[in-house]
């Protein structure tokens, strides 16, 4: 099921996840409602973390929308899955064609796949929503210690401990599936060479036996009757 953290009372930009386990890959879906009575939502920009960057990021296509991923150098190098990262995707921007704008009374889901998720903790993903009339709404206000929800809360989710069988804070839940047009390598042939040799030997003996029987039949058919 989809986990939404934190729960929201109003029609805000929120993030849904299909996995929160440290070390796993997750589909992060930003649900963007249109809160304007007269204008359409034509652009969404999401900022990804730079202190705990994602090693892999890919986007889900949306008809009528273009997506741009912007890489930038990190403030400090980060180790992830044995890889030293010096730059990463820090911003994802979706832009609508005129006909694809999110109209008043509608909402749109924008999804990326990201991972591996870092160690347990809270991940904040500030978002900027732009309307066709030029209005810009920044969803970047953190929730105060009192727990009272701000007017424009930052989309947030909580990373949980690694699932059993995974090293906490490291290790992917599963490797990404091959891209379209790519084929996974086939495992090497592990047939026992001794068994293979016996099978070949048996085949040779069988062929020889058939040949001998054919010759015997021909000879017996050529003898005169008693």
């Amino acid at each position: 099921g989809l986990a939404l953290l934190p729960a929201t009372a109003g029609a805000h930009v929120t993030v849904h996840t299909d996995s929160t386990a440290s070390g796993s890959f997750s589909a992060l879906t930003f649900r963007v409602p249109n809160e304007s009575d007269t204008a359409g939502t034509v652009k969404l920009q999401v900022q990804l973390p730079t202190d705990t960057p994602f090693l892999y990021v890919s986007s889900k296509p949306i008809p009528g929308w273009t997506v741009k991923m912007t890489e930038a150098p990190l403030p400090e190098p980060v180790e992830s899955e044995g890889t030293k990262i010096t730059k990463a995707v820090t911003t994802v921007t979706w832009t609508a064609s005129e006909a694809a704008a999110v109209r008043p009374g509608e909402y749109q889901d924008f999804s990326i796949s990201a991972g591996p998720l870092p160690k347990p903790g809270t991940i904040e993903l500030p978002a900027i929503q732009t309307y066709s009339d030029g209005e810009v709404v920044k969803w970047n206000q953190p929730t105060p210690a009192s727990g009272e929800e701000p007017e424009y809360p930052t989309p947030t989710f909580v990373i949980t401990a690694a699932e059993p069988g995974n090293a906490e804070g490291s290790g992917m839940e599963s490797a990404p599936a091959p891209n379209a047009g790519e084929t996974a390598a086939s495992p090497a042939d592990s047939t026992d060479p001794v068994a293979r040799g016996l099978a070949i030997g048996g085949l040779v003996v069988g062929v020889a036996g058939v040949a001998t029987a054919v010759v015997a039949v021909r000879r017996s058919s050529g003898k005169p009757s008693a």
Side-chain angles (χ1 to χ4, degrees):
L2 293 176
L4 174 59
L5 295 172
T8 56
H12 303 320
V13 173
T14 54
V15 59
H16 301 252
T17 68
D18 66 356
S19 175
T20 60
S22 175
S24 69
F25 279 78
S26 182
L28 308 181
T29 300
F30 300 88
R31 178 154 294 179
V32 181
N34 193 324
E35 297 185 321
S36 173
D37 295 329
T38 58
T41 295
V42 294
K43 187 176 180 180
L44 176 71
Q45 185 180 76
V46 174
Q47 297 175 15
L48 303 184
T50 56
D51 54 344
T52 55
F54 300 126
L55 186 57
Y56 301 102
V57 180
S58 59
S59 63
K60 183 177 181 179
I62 302 175
W65 290 75
T66 59
V67 60
K68 179 182 178 181
M69 296 191 186
T70 303
E71 279 192 339
L74 301 175
E76 295 181 1
V78 176
E79 290 283 341
S80 176
E81 296 299 314
T83 301
K84 187 176 182 180
I85 306 174
T86 58
K87 66 178 182 178
V89 176
T90 57
T91 306
V92 183
T93 305
W94 290 268
T95 305
S97 64
E98 184 175 352
V102 184
R103 297 179 176 84
E106 298 178 345
Y107 74 89
Q108 178 65 56
D109 287 342
F110 301 84
S111 296
I112 61 173
S113 176
L117 299 184
K119 294 181 179 181
T122 300
I123 293 289
E124 295 185 342
L125 302 166
I128 301 175
Q129 182 179 12
T130 302
Y131 288 91
S132 56
D133 61 1
E135 180 185 3
V136 176
V137 179
K138 296 182 178 180
W139 301 94
N140 60 359
Q141 297 177 350
T143 301
S146 62
E148 182 180 354
E149 185 180 73
E151 184 176 3
Y152 300 105
T154 302
T156 304
F157 74 98
V158 176
I159 297 176
T160 56
E163 296 177 354
N166 289 343
E168 184 173 356
S170 65
M172 296 178 292
E173 186 177 64
S174 60
N179 295 325
E182 294 183 351
T183 304
S186 300
D189 185 0
S190 60
T191 304
D192 187 343
V194 175
R196 184 187 302 169
L198 292 174
I200 295 174
L203 179 60
V204 171
V205 171
V207 171
V210 172
T212 301
V214 170
V215 171
V217 170
R218 287 181 177 176
R219 287 179 177 176
S220 60
S221 62
K223 293 181 179 180
S225 302

